[in-house]
Amino acid sequence: MGRLLWLKAFDRVSVRSAYEGEAGCLNGRHFRFSVQGEVEPDGEGETPAEVGTTVSLNGFKKSFQQSALRTVEAIAREVFEHCIWYFLRPGGAPNITVADDDGAVSLNSLMHDFVYSDMQRTSIEVKGERFEMVSLRLKSSQRNLAPRLYWCAANRVVVEENLTSKVLGVLITSVVNAGEA
């Protein structure tokens, strides 16, 4: 989900990030952005204790609240499904945790909780273009029971296609990635 889309549903976003610098010491950046204030430094803050980033979405707009998911588990599942390719690709995804005042869910643990089958990898070539396919079955969520096909390129999901009327009686979730294209 794009950073600018966050501002459609939230008044402001705060980012606190810690990274290892050239000399091996920990450096940090803290900033916030909003439609009104654009990008602004968010003070010095504490020296970071470890490498990582925290993104806080603040000022949830009322027009989005009524149709939003309510639990951290449901939100984590939606984010996981949206970002599924990062968990399937070689090298995997960084450690991501979705948290609120009521709890936290690791997206990396969802990979094991929601996958029914081994990830079968297949390569095919179509008109000289090589495609890597990963097939797996995910447990359906309460929100979206329809079987889906995720089309990926450039290491991200580009199109999510509903297969309900195309493959009758089969509940399959597959991911197709077009090389580095």
Side-chain angles (χ1 to χ4, degrees):
M1 294 168 266
R3 293 174 302 274
L4 294 177
L5 285 178
W6 295 345
L7 295 179
K8 188 172 184 177
F10 296 89
D11 292 330
R12 66 196 163 286
V13 178
S14 299
V15 178
R16 300 175 89 51
S17 186
Y19 59 94
E20 193 172 306
E22 292 178 20
C25 56
L26 224 43
N27 296 314
R29 294 285 184 265
H30 310 276
F31 62 93
R32 63 179 172 251
F33 58 95
S34 65
V35 172
Q36 295 79 17
E38 298 183 9
V39 178
E40 319 171 87
D42 193 13
E44 292 300 315
E46 300 174 10
T47 304
E50 60 185 71
V51 171
T53 299
T54 300
V55 176
S56 299
L57 305 167
N58 303 298
F60 195 23
K61 296 178 181 174
K62 292 231 184 265
S63 60
F64 288 90
Q65 287 182 22
Q66 59 195 26
S67 61
L69 298 169
R70 303 273 187 246
T71 67
V72 72
E73 291 83 8
I75 294 167
R77 172 64 191 236
E78 286 292 313
V79 172
F80 172 77
E81 288 182 5
H82 180 80
C83 301
I84 193 167
W85 172 245
Y86 294 100
F87 295 90
L88 300 177
R89 69 183 179 172
N95 291 325
I96 301 169
T97 302
V98 175
D100 68 6
D101 294 337
D102 297 327
V105 174
S106 166
L107 296 191
N108 303 72
S109 69
L110 292 182
M111 184 67 175
H112 303 290
D113 293 345
F114 289 104
V115 173
Y116 266 131
S117 63
D118 289 336
M119 291 185 288
Q120 299 172 4
R121 297 181 182 274
T122 308
S123 292
I124 62 170
E125 193 169 311
V126 177
K127 295 185 180 180
E129 186 69 37
R130 182 172 207 71
F131 293 88
E132 302 294 326
M133 296 191 309
V134 178
S135 298
L136 70 150
R137 288 186 335 156
L138 297 177
K139 295 177 185 175
S140 62
S141 64
Q142 294 300 322
R143 186 169 167 124
N144 195 345
L145 297 172
R148 289 167 286 168
L149 180 66
Y150 295 93
W151 295 93
C152 304
N155 290 322
R156 65 183 188 88
V157 175
V158 178
V159 175
E160 183 178 323
E161 186 175 353
N162 184 332
L163 297 178
T164 300
S165 63
K166 297 173 181 149
V167 181
L168 298 177
V170 178
L171 182 58
I172 297 175
T173 302
S174 296
V175 176
V176 179
N177 187 45
E180 294 297 316

